[in-house]
Amino acid sequence: MSGDFRLCILILWPLLGAGIGYRIGKKNRVARDYFADFVVIAEFLLVLAMFKALRGQGTPEFLLKGVCGLNLNLKLDGFREIYCTIAAFIWMMTTLISREYFRHYHNRNRYYAFVLPTLGATLGVFLSADLFTTFLFYQILSFTVFVGVAHDEKDVAVQAAQTYLAAELTGGCIVLMGLFRIYHLFGTLEIDAVKAGVLAMEERWPAYVAGALLFFGFGAKAGMFPLHFWMPRAHAGAPAPISTLLSSIITKTGVYGVLIVCGNIFFDNRTWGLFVIVLGTFTMLLGAFRALFDIHMKRILAFSSLSQIGFILIGVGAFCYLGEENQLAVRGTMLHMVNHSVIKLVLYLCAAIIYMKLHKLDLNEIRGYGHGKPLLHAAYLMGALGIAGIPFWNGYVSKTLLHEALVECAVYGSEFGEPVLILKVAEILFLLAGGITLAYMLKLYVCIFVERNPKNQEKYDELNGHYMGKLATVALIGAAVVPPALGMRPNLFLDRIADMGQGLINPEPLAHAVHYFSFQNMKGALISITVGILLYFLAVRKIFMRKNEEGVMEYVYLWPQWLDLEYILYRPIIFIIVPHICGVVCNVLDRPLLSELLKKIRIEPKWMKNRAQKRAEKEEQKKNEETKKRMGDHNKYR
């Protein structure tokens, strides 16, 4: 063991708090709730104090040798400092609202016993300095989150948790195969050493094969297409606090893995960069269209997360495509990660507050609930305007950088004589997806805060003034002030965050300051806003709303029910096709005819010899037992 042990404290404190809290909860539930609040508040303060103490001391590291034959390696730099702070902040706000949210739930002791270790594992991922450490905490996360998603124990929740775990374990197996290849190639899994090893290779394709495995494995945790199918199911089935953590921070552990892989293996590969841009564009559009079609608030937010992961992947592809001149793409990618985390915290807390009183999130059921609730109204607006990319909110800044990076890719490609049609189409679709984002957030806003419920409006109005407790109020206000605070002074806050964090991919500073509010930079946002308003009035109001039998306009779900990748592709492959293929193969290999054929052509694998020998021994043993039995019967009646 060597290095700065204080880095371990950040991981161990939530684990210790979970154990102590569980014992307290066996005797006093109220004391357990207060203790859980204390653990997360102390963790947030500990993160701030430790980073302040370590700043200016270089790059602190911690190394524990001999863990599964490898090393547990932690490191603290600017990016890791930012994301550990964000994770601790989000956990603090989510835990504060959990006491009120779970007031009428059972198994609350189990909830806290797993949600606190999830915080420790999340920090472990972000502090990891080698891929083995990342993988270790990545797998811990898969199992702790599984329990959180299944917390309700209803059929929907259990099935959602199973789907989540299947996707995560599949991604984990793919990552493990990539780790075997990386270790075979370079003899190490340290992130910095891997990049040096790739630079020293004459033929890089073996590293690219390993990198592709890691990319898709980590992409499963991020919710990237085609391993995105767990996201809407897990978000809809999980309690709102778990959905908040999933969307705002846990998916970012997968994005962190994607950044590590692309920044150290594919950092200057234009072909790979173009592939990731296309994949990101598809993910972005799929999530946006599904969110526009849906009529369940948490599923809309889940598909929104899928769409925003697509925006981030476009930035990842852009910084691979641009090589050393990728500062805009790197900064836009990192800032959109940060912005999406804090925005989704606000939006999911709003969903949690609505669900606490109504236990419903269908748009036709929660319609009009926001009337007379100014705090909920203002908080939702802060999140909605941020994610829609409206100027003076934080999402606008990162989307502007990503859009400029796409434009830069097209210019860069044309200089090398490469076809740039794909990049220009990606830019157009980028602006279209921004418009769809505004359309579905406007759909939620009008439904909850503008329209009136035809049946239950009086009942909803009676809740005004006492629809959430004090801790929920503190959490909602604390989360809602962040998006406008970051967006109104981007050079003061977001640029500093980008300066701190971009060293993970490219330490070279930006050559010039970005004038975010110039007309040239705002032009893309204005196009998206126009598209969004048109989509809302021409699509949402005209197509996705219809009169019911009573003559009242209501929201309708028009997405084809059969068009679900989990049920038309993944479950048939896993539960039908793969077992059937394995059964056929085993049946063929077990036939004597095949065995004789292989013997004639002098191909008899060792495993087949062993199988034939064991079969002969069993037959001989059976004959001996039958002989003994006959002799025993003969002696008995003799």
Side-chain angles (χ1 to χ4, degrees):
M1 184 184 297
S2 61
D4 199 322
F5 185 74
R6 289 179 291 181
L7 295 179
C8 278
I9 295 175
L10 298 178
I11 299 171
L12 296 176
W13 168 242
L15 301 179
L16 180 64
I20 296 173
Y22 186 80
R23 297 298 300 172
I24 294 174
K26 287 291 186 180
K27 297 180 179 179
N28 190 318
R29 296 177 181 178
V30 176
R32 185 266 327 279
D33 292 347
Y34 279 109
F35 181 76
D37 293 342
F38 166 73
V39 170
V40 293
I41 293 172
E43 177 78 359
F44 179 65
L45 297 176
L46 185 64
V47 167
L48 295 180
M50 188 172 296
F51 291 161
K52 184 178 180 180
L54 293 176
R55 193 168 294 160
Q57 298 183 17
T59 305
E61 295 192 35
F62 174 81
L63 182 66
L64 179 61
K65 296 182 179 180
V67 180
C68 300
L70 295 170
N71 301 327
L72 188 70
N73 197 351
L74 306 175
K75 184 169 88 171
L76 179 65
D77 58 15
F79 180 89
R80 293 172 171 88
E81 179 178 340
I82 289 166
Y83 249 93
C84 286
T85 306
I86 291 173
F89 175 75
I90 288 173
W91 241 273
M92 180 174 65
M93 295 303 176
T94 305
T95 306
L96 288 179
I97 203 174
S98 293
R99 185 194 307 178
E100 185 176 351
Y101 186 90
F102 288 105
R103 181 175 297 164
H104 302 294
Y105 276 69
H106 65 290
N107 288 327
R108 285 179 291 166
N109 219 27
R110 182 184 65 194
Y111 167 77
Y112 287 109
F114 279 89
V115 78
L116 293 177
T118 304
L119 170 58
T122 301
L123 295 180
V125 171
F126 289 126
L127 289 171
S128 59
D130 64 50
L131 292 169
F132 168 72
T133 306
T134 308
F135 175 76
L136 180 65
F137 286 112
Y138 176 92
Q139 293 304 96
I140 293 172
L141 266 178
S142 298
F143 290 101
T144 56
V145 174
F146 165 78
V147 177
V149 174
H151 182 79
D152 280 349
E153 299 181 6
K154 297 177 182 177
D155 291 342
V156 174
V158 172
Q159 188 179 40
Q162 291 171 345
T163 301
Y164 168 80
L165 189 62
E168 298 309 299
L169 292 182
T170 301
C173 290
I174 297 172
V175 168
L176 189 60
M177 289 190 287
L179 295 184
F180 287 150
R181 291 297 303 155
I182 290 291
Y183 194 81
H184 175 75
L185 290 171
F186 306 117
T188 182
L189 294 177
E190 290 186 20
I191 293 168
D192 295 336
V194 169
K195 184 170 185 176
V198 173
L199 285 170
M201 296 177 75
E202 293 184 3
E203 293 290 335
R204 293 186 183 178
W205 68 264
Y208 290 158
V209 171
L213 291 171
L214 293 173
F215 175 81
F216 282 102
F218 287 123
K221 174 70 76 177
M224 176 186 72
F225 178 85
L227 295 173
H228 68 284
F229 59 92
W230 63 267
M231 288 186 72
R233 206 169 303 282
H235 283 290
I242 297 295
S243 298
T244 305
L245 297 176
L246 268 173
S247 181
S248 59
I249 197 70
I250 293 173
T251 53
K252 302 309 181 296
T253 61
V255 175
Y256 170 76
V258 168
L259 290 179
I260 292 296
V261 170
C262 291
N264 291 279
I265 298 177
F266 298 102
F267 49 88
D268 59 352
N269 190 314
R270 290 203 296 276
T271 302
W272 178 262
L274 190 60
F275 165 73
V276 177
I277 288 173
V278 172
L279 185 64
T281 302
F282 192 84
T283 304
M284 172 185 68
L285 284 177
L286 175 65
F289 274 114
R290 289 300 306 271
L292 189 65
F293 272 75
D294 218 298
I295 60 170
H296 187 277
M297 185 175 184
K298 276 210 296 183
R299 278 203 305 267
I300 291 173
L301 296 180
F303 283 121
S304 172
S305 294
L306 174 64
S307 181
Q308 300 309 308
I309 293 296
F311 280 94
I312 294 169
L313 286 174
I314 287 175
V316 172
F319 74 62
C320 292
Y321 190 90
L322 293 169
E324 294 181 356
E325 304 297 325
N326 63 6
Q327 289 88 345
L328 275 179
V330 169
R331 293 167 75 90
T333 303
M334 200 201 74
L335 288 181
H336 204 62
M337 282 180 66
V338 171
N339 290 335
H340 181 248
S341 292
V342 297
I343 288 169
K344 276 302 164 66
L345 171 64
V346 180
L347 294 174
Y348 270 103
L349 288 183
C350 291
I353 288 167
I354 294 172
Y355 187 83
M356 282 191 300
K357 292 297 183 183
L358 300 186
H359 299 285
K360 301 170 184 176
L361 285 173
D362 184 281
L363 295 192
N364 294 310
E365 299 287 347
I366 65 174
R367 197 172 181 179
Y369 180 77
H371 277 277
K373 300 175 179 64
L375 181 56
L376 181 65
H377 191 164
Y380 176 83
L381 273 178
M382 296 305 101
L385 295 174
I387 201 168
I390 304 300
F392 303 105
W393 273 263
N394 58 345
Y396 161 76
V397 174
S398 51
K399 285 187 176 182
T400 296
L401 291 173
L402 292 175
H403 178 241
E404 292 303 310
L406 265 180
V407 173
E408 200 172 52
C409 285
V411 174
Y412 189 75
S414 62
E415 289 178 355
F416 284 90
E418 297 179 357
V420 294
L421 178 61
I422 293 177
L423 293 169
K424 291 183 177 180
V425 170
E427 181 195 354
I428 295 171
L429 296 178
F430 182 96
L431 298 176
L432 172 63
I436 299 174
T437 304
L438 176 60
Y440 64 70
M441 294 313 295
L442 192 57
K443 174 182 177 180
L444 281 174
Y445 175 76
V446 173
C447 172
I448 300 170
F449 300 101
V450 178
E451 295 177 332
R452 300 186 66 83
N453 195 292
K455 296 180 180 179
N456 301 313
Q457 192 60 52
E458 291 183 6
K459 186 193 303 183
Y460 294 168
D461 291 343
E462 290 175 1
L463 296 172
N464 294 347
H466 49 87
Y467 58 94
M468 60 178 170
K470 293 180 180 178
L471 285 178
T473 302
V474 170
L476 189 62
I477 293 174
V481 298
V482 178
L486 294 177
M488 291 181 184
R489 297 294 299 277
N491 299 110
L492 179 62
F493 295 114
L494 290 174
D495 279 354
R496 289 187 180 181
I497 292 173
D499 291 339
M500 286 178 62
Q502 74 171 66
L504 183 74
I505 307 299
N506 187 347
E508 295 296 323
L510 196 63
H512 55 83
V514 179
H515 302 288
Y516 294 107
F517 302 118
S518 67
F519 177 75
Q520 186 65 28
N521 285 328
M522 292 181 70
K523 189 164 60 175
L526 295 175
I527 293 173
S528 292
I529 291 170
T530 304
V531 170
I533 293 172
L534 290 174
L535 277 174
Y536 176 76
F537 285 104
L538 297 179
V540 174
R541 305 301 299 185
K542 300 293 184 182
I543 300 174
F544 300 134
M545 294 188 73
R546 293 178 183 173
K547 286 185 179 181
N548 60 16
E549 296 176 354
E550 299 172 356
V552 177
M553 296 293 291
E554 65 178 9
Y555 295 91
V556 292
Y557 183 68
L558 297 179
W559 189 265
Q561 295 287 347
W562 58 268
L563 194 55
D564 187 327
L565 280 181
E566 180 181 352
Y567 287 97
I568 68 174
L569 182 63
Y570 295 110
R571 284 183 178 267
I573 288 175
I574 295 172
F575 294 112
I576 300 174
I577 297 175
V578 171
H580 185 72
I581 291 174
C582 291
V584 170
V585 171
C586 291
N587 187 38
V588 170
L589 293 178
D590 199 44
R591 290 179 180 176
L593 180 62
L594 178 63
S595 177
E596 294 298 324
L597 179 62
L598 292 175
K599 285 180 182 178
K600 286 181 181 180
I601 60 176
R602 296 181 181 180
I603 297 177
E604 189 171 8
K606 186 177 180 180
W607 63 268
M608 189 169 284
K609 290 181 181 179
N610 294 339
R611 176 181 285 185
Q613 184 178 353
K614 287 180 181 178
R615 185 182 295 153
E617 290 175 355
K618 285 183 179 180
E619 290 177 355
E620 184 67 26
Q621 184 179 358
K622 186 177 180 180
K623 287 180 181 178
N624 292 337
E625 289 175 355
E626 290 176 352
T627 303
K628 288 180 181 179
K629 185 178 180 181
R630 284 198 301 270
M631 292 299 294
D633 293 342
H634 176 73
N635 293 332
K636 180 177 179 181
Y637 296 104
R638 188 177 177 177

